[in-house]
Amino acid sequence: MTDTQIPAETATAPVYAVPQERQVVTAIPGPKSEQLHARRAKVVSAGVSSALPVYIERANGAILVDVDGNRFIDFGAGIGVTTVGHTEQHVVQAAADQLQDVIHTLFTITPYEEYVRVAELLAEHTPGNWEKKSVLVNSGAEAVENGVKIARKFTGRRAVAVLDHAYHGRTNLTMAMNYKAHPYATGYGPFAGDVYHAPSSYPYRDGLSGADAAARTIAYLEKVVGASDLACLVVEPIQGEGGFMVPADGYLNILQGWCTEHGVVMIADEIQSGMARTGRYFASEHFGWEPDVVLSAKGIAGGLPLAAVTGRAEIMDASQPGGLGGTFGGNPVACAAAIAVFESIERDHLLGEAERIGSTLTAGLERLKQRYDLIGEIRGTGAMVAIELVQPGTGDTTKVPNAEAVSALVAYAAQHGVLFLSAGTWGNVLRFLPGLAVSDALIEDGLRVLDDGFASLG
Ligand code: PLZ
């Protein structure tokens, strides 16, 4: 789509405080970023790394501005967090207003309405037409931890199952739930027990139908764990860190059917895929999957830390009073921001925007795929799109992962004012998860840089 074809809805989009275009005025990173980086090296743990060490001073819409005045088109949105756009004005105002009223009381001491409202919105917008309840926490990993706790309490069972290529967090339990050991878990053991890793559906690499992939997953669970000991199966409907794998048709529903039959709680980790990212509130909806429990985080509060476990009322109510909580969980400012996010999704038709972004991105990537045989597969839904890169000439055969090309493209793009993120079990996936404020013009500009990047690989 060209600028002249922008539909009326986007033509009346808000005027941004920061020009929505990239601009590179120094080396990347620039001198001021270099200075900050030297300060940081003295006081910030070496265990905390930064993919692109340009220090950000301002962020607005789809643009990050660094301390040297460089403007980057942001295709990462802080890993899918600023889904409504950076410093989205409705969110900013709601949080600012809330800061004046109440910053903290602790909901488990003296409650407040904003927490209740977020739980109402989650009950309304998560899949499944039944009574639902929520607990609010601070981070994705904490939501996963609580989802498991709640499922164990409800079922009285011990075991937790996850899928290959999954990512669930950095706490002790969630490290044990991740597929990839390095860098997340290396040297940090011992890990939580009773976690089982079942084969997943990865159509590009396993070639299995949904039914066959589900049969393989279920056979593993029955053989290695046994349904009667299994509390929950935790699944990302579209895997995030693993590389945006979209499971084959029917896969998730067959697993849900098996879980229901055997009294296993099936939990959707929608932390990366949820909150309008894929063109639906939750990615599970694309598959007609209605999970027992849904985990939200990242995009839910426009950039403020908030996460939620939302599930069938009987599951959520199995916990004893006082069993769930935490000092900062459901902080009023984060809740006010989350309410504004839900309102912005409706007001700005963000589900449609995610679809628009998805079609512009995939059309552009299809054009690149015709010219660069490193692109093994383009996959994803809505504004959650990725390309998996393979070694030249292996796309139709062995599909040898090409992490070097991903690193080179990410580095090339950064030098030209575009922030792309990598992903994938082998680091060979380039993922696009921009804020939904990104215009088609900016996407096309980012794709031009990507094209030049591919050309530069030689
Ligand atoms: N579940 C599906 O994507 C977070 C990790 C960033 P937290 N993914 C980004 C990093 O390097 O730490 C994630 C996810 C899914 C759980 C989590 C964990 O969410 O908010 O990072 O704890």
Side-chain angles (χ1 to χ4, degrees), residues 64-260:
L64 299 172
V65 189
D66 77 5
V67 286
D68 292 288
N70 299 297
R71 292 199 300 257
F72 296 85
I73 308 175
D74 183 9
F75 281 92
I79 317 199
V81 171
T82 51
T83 308
V84 291
H86 286 287
T87 54
E88 198 263 343
Q89 282 311 292
H90 188 47
V91 171
V92 170
Q93 196 56 54
D97 290 348
Q98 185 61 43
L99 280 167
Q100 297 290 344
D101 292 344
V102 189
I103 299 178
H104 175 82
T105 65
L106 212 176
F107 192 76
T108 58
I109 304 289
T110 49
Y112 38 88
E113 182 181 351
E114 289 73 17
Y115 190 119
V116 178
R117 183 66 192 135
V118 171
E120 286 171 349
L121 287 162
L122 284 165
E124 184 184 335
H125 290 290
T126 48
N129 197 9
W130 44 70
E131 201 193 339
K132 295 173 206 145
K133 298 197 176 181
S134 291
V135 54
L136 303 185
V137 292
N138 303 293
S139 68
E142 209 188 339
V144 177
E145 292 262 358
N146 276 279
V148 170
K149 256 171 82 168
I150 289 164
R152 281 179 164 155
K153 184 77 191 186
F154 174 71
T155 57
R157 301 176 185 176
R158 60 177 177 85
V160 174
V162 292
L163 296 182
D164 289 347
H165 307 288
Y167 180 86
H168 297 294
R170 293 178 182 271
T171 58
N172 186 264
L173 172 64
T174 56
M175 277 191 290
M177 294 168 71
N178 296 338
Y179 182 70
K180 220 156 105 162
H182 194 74
Y184 308 121
T186 310
Y188 295 138
F191 301 107
D194 275 327
V195 177
Y196 298 88
H197 295 255
S200 61
S201 169
Y202 190 163
Y204 177 59
R205 287 188 178 275
D206 64 29
L208 295 179
S209 68
D212 288 347
R216 185 175 68 166
T217 307
I218 291 167
Y220 176 93
L221 294 175
E222 287 182 337
K223 181 81 46 205
V224 178
V225 195
S228 61
D229 268 339
L230 187 57
C232 57
L233 169 62
V234 186
V235 173
E236 300 159 85
I238 298 176
Q239 293 184 314
E241 302 304 304
F244 289 15
M245 284 81 102
V246 181
D249 282 349
Y251 177 74
L252 296 169
N253 304 69
I254 296 171
L255 293 187
Q256 178 65 65
W258 180 83
C259 285
T260 304

Side-chain angles (χ1 to χ4, degrees), residues 391-415:
Q391 298 293 342
T394 69
D396 296 324
T397 53
T398 47
K399 300 171 179 163
V400 182
N402 194 341
E404 311 79 64
V406 168
S407 307
L409 289 169
V410 167
Y412 180 93
Q415 295 303 317

Side-chain angles (χ1 to χ4, degrees), residues 336-427:
I339 296 164
V341 164
F342 277 102
E343 288 166 356
S344 292
I345 290 172
E346 294 298 324
R347 187 197 59 187
D348 299 333
H349 312 291
L350 292 185
L351 302 179
E353 291 299 284
E355 282 179 355
R356 165 187 65 81
I357 291 165
S359 9
T360 308
L361 261 176
T362 14
L365 292 169
E366 288 291 352
R367 290 196 299 272
L368 293 182
K369 186 170 188 291
Q370 279 158 23
R371 298 188 14 239
Y372 301 108
D373 81 336
L374 306 186
I375 303 180
E377 188 181 49
I378 303 166
R379 57 178 179 248
T381 314
M384 185 171 188
V385 176
I387 50 178
E388 175 159 356
L389 301 192
V390 294
Q391 298 293 342
T394 69
D396 296 324
T397 53
T398 47
K399 300 171 179 163
V400 182
N402 194 341
E404 311 79 64
V406 168
S407 307
L409 289 169
V410 167
Y412 180 93
Q415 295 303 317
H416 293 82
V418 181
L419 178 62
F420 289 134
L421 302 180
S422 61
T425 292
W426 301 278

